[in-house]
């Protein structure tokens, strides 16, 4: 076990990866401040969960549909330079939200419009953000690099919402936007400090992002392993992330724990991911990737059923911990499979397909589950969704349906992929911030 942990953390011996990880955890902590502040601002101005959902939709859909442009740009230009530009653009959108608040703009449409710009910036950033890590970590540290990158996000999920809650309670949401703006300084500094050789660019001719995206989608569909990974992440987005985000209905209406209980539940999801990271990162050489994903999907669905049927809130936290652990294992391993099999010329564009599948399946899942909750009850709806999830997970785990994840067809020295979490949680029903 000690050897396994040491293998996992050896990736921090790589200077560029270490800089990227530190910059990422600081920046993601700031982004969680944004993720908490925007729903609270919208809900405070409108007293409508529908408006909150509209603001989330306004951010997620541009993020999804900017993927083809972001992927084409990330494969055509040096990714570090692309990230310096996209991260600067994201810092400007964060600053724009702070300016709106301190200028006493209280129109919800203004914050929704800014959410669109946030989504555009994130959509341009994500393919380059994911693809550049393949230049930071060698093949033999692949799963460890991915897992710790995912743990970085979940560490920020444990810190960011708590920091946002304290900041908003003490000084108002404007200062949460200020913290997010300042946090981009860490990742911009990290990118500026990296010493990276220039990557050979294989793309030429005129930039045609839609055509290139279609070609990349066909390329992904022609590879059994990549096709399997993208299909599996759609299941994770539709069921796993949706069940995480809409568990507020269980926390609020079944256990009457409100926003504090929901925050604690999300922290347990993050805690499960962080504590499982060394273990997941150390098992790459011992188990096939298909086996890891099979087990993780079943654990994910089982955790959601625990949340659905838990008679006590503490058992909800146990189920949430299991979901967090399973999410990290699933996301890390699927990203590993893609990075090992994709050719460099298609790397960022295929990752854009992967991102679009996740970012589209997640809000669709939230809409379906949300309507099911309204039509039945939180516990019944959650049980139905969790039951469907475990049936699909068991089906995928049988008959060798995930064996394509074990291929090494790419012939490239790739590394890790930053975990994508496009959703922001809804505030509890009836919660009106002071």
């Amino acid at each position: 076990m000690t050897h396994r942990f040491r293998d996992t953390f050896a990736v921090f011996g790589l200077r560029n990866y270490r800089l990227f990880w530190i910059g990422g955890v600081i920046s993601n902590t700031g982004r969680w401040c944004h993720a908490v502040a925007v729903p609270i601002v919208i809900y405070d101005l409108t007293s409508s969960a529908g408006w909150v959902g509209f603001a989330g939709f306004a951010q997620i859909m541009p993020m999804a549909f900017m993927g083809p442009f972001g992927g084409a740009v990330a494969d055509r230009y040096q990714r570090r330079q692309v990230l310096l530009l996209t991260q600067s653009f994201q810092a400007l959108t964060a600053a724009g939200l702070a300016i709106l608040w301190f200028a006493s703009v209280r129109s919800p449409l203004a914050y929704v419009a800014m959410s669109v710009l946030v989504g555009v910036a994130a959509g341009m950033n994500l393919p380059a953000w994911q693809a550049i890590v393949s230049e930071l970590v060698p093949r033999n540290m692949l799963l460890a690099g991915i897992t710790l990158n995912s743990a970085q996000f979940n560490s920020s999920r444990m810190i960011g919402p708590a920091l946002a809650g304290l900041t908003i309670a003490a000084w108002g949401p404007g200062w949460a936007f200020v913290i997010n703006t300042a946090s981009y300084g860490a990742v911009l500094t990290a990118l500026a400090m990296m010493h990276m050789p220039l990557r050979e660019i294989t793309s030429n001719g005129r930039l045609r992002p839609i055509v290139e995206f279609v070609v990349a989608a066909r390329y992904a569909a022609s590879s059994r392993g990549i096709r399997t990974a993208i299909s599996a992440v759609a299941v994770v987005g539709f069921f796993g992330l949706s069940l995480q985000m809409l568990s507020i209905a269980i926390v609020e209406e079944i256990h009457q724990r409100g926003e504090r209980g929901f925050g604690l539940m999300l922290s347990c999801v993050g805690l499960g991911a962080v504590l499982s990271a060394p273990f997941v990162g150390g098992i790459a050489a011992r188990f096939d990737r298909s086996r890891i994903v099979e087990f993780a999907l079943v654990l994910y669905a089982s955790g959601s059923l625990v949340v659905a049927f838990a008679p006590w809130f503490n058992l909800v936290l146990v189920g949430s911990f299991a979901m967090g652990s399973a999410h990290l294992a699933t996301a890390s391993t699927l990203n590993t499979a893609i990075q090992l099999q994709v050719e460099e010329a298609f790397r960022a564009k295929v990752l854009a397909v992967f991102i679009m599948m996740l970012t589209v399946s997640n809000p669709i899942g939230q809409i379906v589950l949300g309507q099911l909750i309204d039509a039945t009850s939180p516990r019944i709806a959650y049980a139905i969704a969790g039951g469907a999830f475990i049936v699909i997970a068991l089906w995928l785990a049988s008959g060798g349906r995930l064996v394509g994840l074990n291929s090494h067809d790419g012939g490239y020295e790739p590394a890790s992929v930053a975990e994508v979490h496009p959703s922001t949680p809804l505030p509890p029903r009836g919660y009106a911030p002071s």
Side-chain angles (χ1 to χ4, degrees), residues 41-403:
V41 167
I42 297 293
Y43 197 82
D44 192 26
L45 294 176
T46 65
S47 299
S48 168
W51 266 98
V52 175
F54 180 48
F57 183 85
Q59 178 174 331
I60 291 172
M61 295 314 292
M63 186 189 307
F65 289 108
M66 288 306 295
F69 297 89
V73 168
D75 276 339
R76 185 174 294 266
Y77 301 102
Q78 298 299 327
R79 290 166 186 150
R80 189 171 74 99
Q81 277 68 39
V82 171
L83 284 175
L84 285 167
L85 290 174
T86 57
Q87 291 287 322
S88 297
F89 184 21
Q90 288 184 292
L92 288 175
T93 60
L97 284 165
I99 291 170
L100 285 178
W101 183 261
F102 289 116
S104 297
V105 175
R106 297 296 183 263
S107 167
L109 281 176
Y111 293 93
V112 170
M114 189 59 70
S115 293
V116 172
L117 291 179
V118 170
V120 170
M124 288 297 296
N125 176 78
L126 280 172
W129 179 268
Q130 296 199 24
I132 194 175
V133 196
S134 66
E135 304 172 38
L136 305 180
V137 178
R139 178 184 292 269
N140 66 322
M141 294 182 174
L142 174 56
L143 186 55
I146 293 173
T147 302
L148 289 176
N149 223 22
S150 183
Q152 168 263 114
F153 177 88
N154 285 284
S155 297
S156 68
R157 171 157 53 184
M158 293 169 60
I159 301 168
L163 176 61
L166 291 172
T167 301
I168 293 169
W171 301 296
W175 286 101
F177 296 138
V178 169
I179 290 173
N180 186 29
T181 304
S183 73
Y184 284 99
V187 71
L188 288 169
T189 300
L191 289 167
M193 291 175 64
M194 289 179 187
H195 302 308
M196 299 178 63
L198 294 179
R199 179 175 57 90
E200 181 180 354
I201 305 297
T202 57
S203 299
N204 51 52
R206 186 165 60 91
L207 184 68
R208 298 185 298 170
I210 302 300
V211 173
E212 292 179 37
F213 182 82
V214 171
V215 171
R218 289 174 178 169
Y219 168 86
S222 70
S223 166
R224 181 185 180 187
I226 296 175
R227 183 175 68 245
T228 300
I230 291 175
S231 300
V233 86
V235 174
V236 171
F238 187 91
F239 288 104
L241 287 178
S242 299
L243 287 165
Q244 284 186 45
M245 292 299 106
L246 292 180
S247 57
I248 179 61
I250 293 283
V251 174
E252 170 71 11
E253 297 187 22
I254 303 299
H255 299 282
Q256 290 82 45
R257 293 300 181 113
E259 71 278 3
R260 293 182 185 274
F262 187 47
L264 181 58
M265 193 218 75
L266 288 179
S267 293
C268 282
V269 173
L271 183 64
V274 170
L275 293 185
S276 65
F279 175 78
V280 174
I283 63 176
R286 298 169 177 82
F287 297 95
D288 289 339
R289 287 186 293 279
S290 61
R291 292 296 183 190
I292 298 172
V293 173
E294 287 167 4
F295 175 80
L297 284 174
V298 173
L299 177 62
Y300 211 151
S302 300
S304 70
L305 288 175
V306 170
V307 172
F309 292 109
W312 311 290
F313 181 67
N314 286 344
L315 199 54
V316 170
L317 301 182
V318 173
S320 300
F321 182 93
M323 292 175 74
S325 300
H327 183 87
L328 179 132
T330 308
S332 300
T333 309
L334 293 176
N335 283 321
T336 302
I338 287 181
Q339 291 279 31
L340 282 172
Q341 297 179 46
V342 70
E343 297 175 16
E344 176 59 20
F346 288 95
R347 183 171 302 278
K349 291 186 285 288
V350 168
L351 290 174
V353 177
F354 183 83
I355 292 166
M356 178 175 281
M357 184 61 71
L358 180 67
T359 52
V360 170
S361 64
N362 177 219
I364 292 174
Q366 290 197 51
I367 290 172
V368 172
L369 182 56
Q371 292 299 314
L372 191 59
I373 289 172
D374 288 342
T376 57
S377 71
R379 198 184 290 280
I380 291 174
Y382 216 84
I384 292 172
F389 191 10
I390 201 164
V391 168
I392 292 172
L394 290 170
W395 179 77
L396 288 173
S398 63
R401 292 182 174 85
L402 298 177
V403 72

